[in-house]
Amino acid sequence: MPEHPWFETAPASTVRVLRSLRTYHAVEQAMRRRTRESMKMGEADLRALRFLLRAEEEGRLATPADLAALLGMKSSSITIMLDRLGASGHIQRAPHPNDRRSIVITATPGADEEVRETLGQMHDRLLAVAASLDEDQARVVSAFLGRLTETLDHLNEDAEPARKRT
């Protein structure tokens, strides 16, 4: 039985591209899993930490509500995650300077160093591969990935009404 029935009718170059994307995606997921395991964090924990570091770099205050919106989680789940990240020494909580009903969350300096150390080598290698492309190659790759992203985004939008009906 073929890998996918539509591979039989697709041009060989198309199949090669899609297989390459699938392989890249699988390797990237495995690398991210290893990274999370080495940092003893879940996917949401690492995404939250990266968000906090980015907010700090941009001079923005981050609140639990910001994290809930980013991660699509309920406030009770965010509280549990923040308790876990606080206990592991990755985040700090402080009163919000403008809203006494809220708090501000920041990554600790140690968390910043850990994320940079853990992800830095990976980012450096990815940057080197991207930098090896000439302008025309970079334009083609960017356009292709942009079209794929747009296609998948529209598929999700098209599927929403069907999911709501069930």
Side-chain angles (χ1 to χ4, degrees):
M1 178 165 214
E3 186 175 7
H4 286 289
W6 51 268
F7 273 15
E8 291 178 6
T9 59
S13 60
T14 301
V15 173
R16 241 185 352 266
V17 168
L18 294 177
R19 281 188 178 139
S20 294
L21 276 171
R22 182 183 303 147
T23 300
Y24 171 80
H25 182 67
V27 169
E28 181 192 31
Q29 283 185 320
M31 180 276 310
R32 289 186 183 280
R33 180 185 39 74
R34 288 189 307 271
T35 299
R36 288 190 313 269
E37 288 172 359
S38 76
M39 294 180 71
K40 296 176 178 59
M41 289 186 181
E43 176 70 25
D45 296 356
L46 189 55
R47 285 185 63 205
L49 196 52
R50 292 176 71 199
F51 172 80
L52 295 174
L53 293 169
R54 192 170 41 253
E56 190 172 333
E57 284 176 5
E58 296 170 357
R60 291 183 293 112
L61 299 177
T63 66
D66 296 329
L67 287 174
L70 170 78
L71 301 171
M73 294 170 63
K74 295 180 181 180
S75 63
S76 58
S77 298
I78 292 294
T79 299
I80 292 167
M81 181 181 69
L82 293 176
D83 289 345
R84 185 173 55 249
L85 289 172
S88 66
H90 288 99
I91 62 119
Q92 303 174 103
R93 294 171 167 130
H96 194 290
N98 305 321
D99 182 355
R100 64 185 180 145
R101 297 169 298 160
S102 186
I103 62 170
V104 174
I105 308 149
T106 56
T108 62
D112 186 17
E113 291 170 19
E114 184 178 3
V115 168
R116 288 184 194 284
E117 183 178 310
T118 304
L119 300 178
Q121 186 179 26
M122 175 204 54
H123 289 151
D124 290 345
R125 289 179 178 190
L126 292 175
L127 283 169
V129 170
S132 73
L133 300 174
D134 65 33
E135 268 307 308
D136 289 337
Q137 291 170 325
R139 193 173 12 266
V140 169
V141 170
S142 294
F144 172 70
L145 293 173
R147 288 193 314 266
L148 283 180
T149 301
E150 198 173 297
T151 298
L152 293 179
D153 277 349
H154 290 306
L155 283 175
N156 287 339
E157 290 170 5
D158 294 344
E160 280 299 317
R163 276 188 284 209
K164 288 180 181 177
R165 285 192 296 260
T166 58

